[in-house]
Amino acid sequence: MAASKFMMLFMLTLVPFIIAALFSNRVSIFYNKIVDSLAWLASVRGGLSGNVSEIPKFAVLRICFGLILLIRIFWISNYAYPDDLSNPAFVSVVLLDWVSALMITIGLATQWWLIFLMLFQWHVGEVAMSTSTLGNDVAAFVALLFVLTNSGKKISVDEFLVKKYHRLAKALLYFPVGDREIAAAKVLSLLGYWLVCVYSMSQHFAEPAWVEGFAGPQILVNNFMSVYWLTFEYWFKEYPFAIFVAITSMWIMFPWYAGILPFVLLGGVFRAFIIVWGILFFIFSTFLLQLGSLGEIEFVFWAALFLRNNRSFSVIYDDRCNLCDRTINMIKRVDLLSVVKLKPASKNLEWAKTEHGLSQDDVLKDLYGVDNRTGKLYGGYDFYLALSWRIVVLLPVWLILSIGKILLVGPMIYRFIADRRIKYFGVCNVPTPKPDWNLDDQVDGGSNKPLVFYVALHFLFFAAAYTVAIPAPFLGWQGLNNWAARAAHFYGIAPINVFNNTDIRMAENWFTLTDDQGRLLPVLAQDGSRSHYHKSDRIYFGGTLSYRRRAIGREGCQFEMPHTQYLTKNLGELYNSMGNESEYFIYTQYFKEIPESQLMLSMKYEEKAVSEICKVKYKL
């Protein structure tokens, strides 16, 4: 109910912004200045500059985003409790998750489904499923960026519909998008992400685990959160320097949190630090920790913001050769990041000769590519290797070509075909038009103003409300709590506090379930680590994570706690519904004190012993 109330407030505040922009020329001029200012901030040092050539990139990343959502809901559905399947509310929410993820992946009514996820599903639907996560908040920044950049306009069903029925553009919420709109959208989404990180940093300054740095090694040996916790235990015992690295890594997070937006806008080495450390942090989140889909979503977000490679590879080709012509057509169709700049031989022979020493015979004999940043020239078989390495879609081809070169057969086959291309494929008197993604994304039937025009000031209003709500106890500021700060959550701007003392202490308490044959249910292992039921965010966030948090500081057996009763009953029913027939189950509870932080700060690691708290036999 609280989420519904704040959603209503959120929507009501949007109405006057839109009405004012539509009917007041002065407000429209002010909105324009806001968008222009955001675009200027993005481009003044090149930190977040936008280009319409990125729209195909957004389309590809939208598909990746949709696939992440599909995989997530697949596991939630696969490991749904039997009682859930008879609950109409739960089934409805799951179906909406399936449909929205599928629609985003194929690109049908994309804008509407992205907005639906931001405004309803991640706040009402997933709360009902007990699957709300920090990943949803970061996903909101991704969704906002994809809406404002028309990510559904390319490589989608929407693209076909808009081309065939131009008037559908407005109904599908596709607005004109240019360089400044893309740049402004990037600034808005990164601003939201930065504010979340600033809040997190403000909390960490009050956490001894962060200030002293021992949160790093503690998380890495956490049997619930770390994938390779046993490996890190070994390293910390045998190599004290590894503890120092883990502590230092946590300290580096402070300038990274603080600098995400300002450092990116400054550009240069500051921007490089944010990007590189972000990638390392996301790798850490994805492969070393277990945080649901958070790491994968952050990778998509980072790629949407920073992955650019415009016109970095010039291709010189014989534009009168049919085979070359077809090859170039194929290359341009898969060149989603606009890597290739075409240099047809009929117009660029002088450039090829003076700049790169290529004769007319050379150009007509082979395809050549020039790396515009290094000036290095690639020809023949090496051209295809260099090109396939630079175009993401062709990376599998690069692997095949590399194997072919190692085995020496690749260059031989290439030379045989290249020397006979005219004989086998003929000559084209008029080169065919080459496909190009770099088209202005103006849409017939769309509004005269882009969507970012309406969203920018609304977003900034909630961002400002959230900013004054951020506490800074070290500065004597407790934060100004307000409804707008809470409603900012619909844009993904939410208070978070991760890797804190509670997260660290979740390693202390856990349970296992065994069936009547002594077989362990795939929930938690005897050492406290997760088993494959945790692929479901419902079992993770709504089940075992809640159990382990509630057990912190509690003494004795937790089996009679209502949450434990609910969880163990449903896990037993799920187990039996998957082809097992256990008459009873055994609940075993364990405790293991976390390593002493002061020892870690002395670069020493001491593993604590596991104790069994209780064992309870129960029937469903």
Side-chain angles (χ1 to χ4, degrees):
M1 291 300 293
S4 300
K5 180 181 73 173
F6 285 114
M7 181 169 62
M8 183 65 69
L9 292 170
F10 181 89
M11 295 302 295
L12 286 174
T13 57
L14 183 59
V15 172
F17 283 105
I18 294 177
I19 292 175
L22 286 172
F23 298 104
S24 171
N25 189 49
R26 289 185 178 180
V27 172
S28 294
I29 292 171
F30 179 62
Y31 272 33
N32 250 319
K33 288 183 178 179
I34 291 291
V35 173
D36 285 339
S37 298
L38 291 171
W40 176 83
L41 274 174
S43 60
V44 65
R45 296 294 298 271
L48 278 175
S49 56
N51 192 290
V52 291
S53 65
E54 295 182 82
I55 290 173
K57 174 195 75 175
F58 294 129
V60 173
L61 291 173
R62 181 209 80 232
I63 294 170
C64 295
F65 183 58
L67 291 173
I68 291 170
L69 298 179
L70 280 172
I71 292 169
R72 179 172 180 262
I73 191 58
F74 168 80
W75 288 115
I76 291 173
S77 305
N78 192 56
Y79 291 137
Y81 303 141
D83 284 352
D84 290 336
L85 301 178
S86 59
N87 181 345
F90 180 88
V91 172
S92 298
V93 171
V94 168
L95 286 175
L96 285 171
D97 252 342
W98 271 107
V99 172
S100 57
L102 181 61
M103 293 299 102
I104 289 167
T105 304
I106 67 173
L108 178 57
T110 316
Q111 304 282 74
W112 286 110
W113 285 110
L114 288 168
I115 292 170
F116 165 77
L117 288 175
M118 291 172 62
L119 294 186
F120 178 81
Q121 190 71 353
W122 290 332
H123 301 281
V124 178
E126 298 218 355
V127 168
M129 287 198 300
S130 300
T131 54
S132 290
T133 75
L134 173 59
N136 291 345
D137 297 327
V138 178
F141 301 130
V142 176
L144 176 67
L145 182 58
F146 285 172
V147 167
L148 297 181
T149 56
N150 283 355
S151 67
K153 182 64 173 47
K154 301 290 182 185
I155 321 177
S156 63
V157 177
D158 286 352
E159 180 178 17
F160 168 79
L161 292 174
V162 170
K163 282 182 178 178
K164 191 169 183 179
Y165 309 103
H166 298 306
R167 294 181 182 274
L168 276 177
K170 192 172 182 179
L172 292 172
L173 282 187
Y174 289 116
F175 290 71
V177 166
D179 295 354
R180 73 163 191 160
E181 286 77 32
I182 291 175
K186 287 182 178 181
V187 173
L188 289 175
S189 56
L190 188 60
L191 169 62
Y193 186 80
W194 177 57
L195 288 176
V196 169
C197 291
V198 169
Y199 181 93
S200 183
M201 181 180 66
S202 75
Q203 300 302 299
H204 296 332
F205 273 123
E207 283 269 358
W210 274 80
V211 174
E212 297 179 24
F214 61 81
Q218 289 278 24
I219 287 294
L220 290 173
V221 295
N222 187 303
N223 58 16
F224 188 56
M225 300 190 70
S226 177
V227 179
Y228 303 107
W229 64 278
L230 288 172
T231 302
F232 284 111
E233 275 195 343
Y234 171 78
W235 284 356
F236 290 164
K237 288 176 188 173
E238 300 297 324
Y239 309 105
F241 183 72
I243 300 177
F244 173 77
V245 172
I247 291 173
T248 304
S249 297
M250 297 305 288
W251 286 336
I252 294 175
M253 291 301 297
F254 282 107
W256 186 78
Y257 278 146
I260 283 175
L261 183 63
F263 281 13
V264 166
L265 294 179
L266 277 173
V269 66
F270 297 100
R271 177 176 181 267
F273 162 68
I274 296 300
I275 294 173
V276 172
W277 190 258
I279 292 171
L280 293 175
F281 179 49
F282 303 154
I283 290 172
F284 174 79
S285 301
T286 304
F287 301 107
L288 298 184
L289 296 183
Q290 302 177 90
L291 303 173
S293 305
L294 175 62
E296 292 90 336
I297 292 170
E298 286 179 317
F299 271 120
V300 170
F301 185 50
W302 232 233
L305 291 172
F306 302 117
L307 183 60
R308 293 186 64 192
N309 203 4
N310 290 343
R311 305 305 199 195
S312 64
F313 198 69
S314 292
V315 175
I316 315 160
Y317 67 100
D318 181 0
D319 49 339
R320 295 186 57 127
C321 161
N322 271 331
L323 178 59
C324 299
D325 193 68
R326 294 172 191 173
T327 302
I328 294 300
N329 270 299
M330 183 276 294
I331 289 170
K332 287 303 296 178
R333 290 188 188 281
V334 298
D335 181 22
L336 302 175
L337 299 181
S338 301
V339 173
V340 171
K341 183 176 183 179
L342 296 181
K343 292 281 189 178
S346 62
K347 299 177 182 178
N348 293 278
L349 282 175
E350 187 63 27
W351 173 83
K353 181 179 179 180
T354 56
E355 296 289 332
H356 302 287
L358 295 173
S359 67
Q360 182 174 346
D361 288 342
D362 291 330
V363 173
L364 299 180
K365 185 179 180 182
D366 287 303
L367 286 172
Y368 284 89
V370 178
D371 188 318
N372 296 328
R373 290 169 294 193
T374 65
K376 187 173 181 179
L377 181 71
Y378 301 88
Y381 193 82
D382 288 337
F383 160 80
Y384 287 98
L385 272 171
L387 181 74
S388 58
W389 174 251
R390 286 164 172 77
I391 296 179
V392 175
V393 178
L394 296 180
L395 284 175
V397 177
W398 172 83
L399 180 61
I400 296 169
L401 292 174
S402 299
I403 295 172
K405 185 167 185 178
I406 293 171
L407 300 176
L408 303 179
V409 296
M412 291 172 59
I413 295 171
Y414 166 80
R415 189 74 270 151
F416 179 85
I417 296 174
D419 289 345
R420 294 162 179 80
R421 70 189 191 283
I422 301 297
K423 177 182 177 181
Y424 292 154
F425 299 97
V427 174
C428 56
N429 293 321
V430 181
T432 59
K434 301 298 179 290
D436 198 345
W437 294 102
N438 292 353
L439 300 174
D440 186 26
D441 202 50
Q442 299 294 321
V443 181
D444 292 338
S447 167
N448 291 325
K449 300 184 182 74
L451 192 59
V452 68
F453 187 88
Y454 301 111
V455 172
L457 201 58
H458 191 249
F459 183 96
L460 292 172
F461 167 76
F462 283 99
Y466 180 87
T467 300
V468 299
I470 297 175
F474 47 92
L475 297 177
W477 173 253
Q478 299 305 314
L480 184 61
N481 193 18
N482 59 87
W483 70 265
R486 282 173 279 177
H489 195 183
F490 290 97
Y491 277 129
I493 308 174
I496 65 164
N497 185 9
V498 294
F499 307 149
N500 52 30
N501 189 55
T502 300
D503 291 338
I504 290 170
R505 293 192 64 188
M506 283 195 298
E508 290 182 332
N509 301 277
W510 70 93
F511 66 88
T512 60
L513 297 177
T514 50
D515 66 8
D516 55 9
Q517 302 296 313
R519 293 170 298 191
L520 199 65
L521 274 64
V523 185
L524 293 166
Q526 286 181 316
D527 60 10
S529 59
R530 306 182 201 179
S531 296
H532 65 77
Y533 277 3
H534 279 84
K535 290 180 179 291
S536 166
D537 278 357
R538 177 157 170 76
I539 289 176
Y540 170 28
F541 292 103
T544 56
L545 181 143
S546 180
Y547 169 90
R548 294 176 82 139
R549 281 183 174 172
R550 294 182 190 202
I552 293 172
R554 293 178 180 270
E555 295 184 359
C557 190
Q558 303 295 311
F559 182 75
E560 296 300 328
M561 297 295 292
H563 178 75
T564 307
Q565 291 275 301
Y566 174 82
L567 181 59
T568 53
K569 169 185 174 294
N570 279 292
L571 289 172
E573 289 179 347
L574 172 62
Y575 180 75
N576 279 346
S577 72
M578 302 188 78
N580 305 292
E581 296 182 359
S582 183
E583 292 185 7
Y584 63 86
F585 297 91
I586 296 176
Y587 164 94
T588 309
Q589 184 178 319
Y590 301 90
F591 176 82
K592 178 183 178 182
E593 188 180 350
I594 60 173
E596 291 183 26
S597 57
Q598 294 308 310
L599 273 180
M600 282 190 167
L601 294 176
S602 302
M603 305 304 143
K604 296 177 183 177
Y605 181 82
E606 182 180 295
E607 184 182 2
K608 301 293 184 178
V610 177
S611 58
E612 184 179 306
I613 303 300
C614 65
K615 184 173 286 191
V616 180
K617 179 179 175 181
Y618 71 98
K619 292 186 177 183
L620 299 178

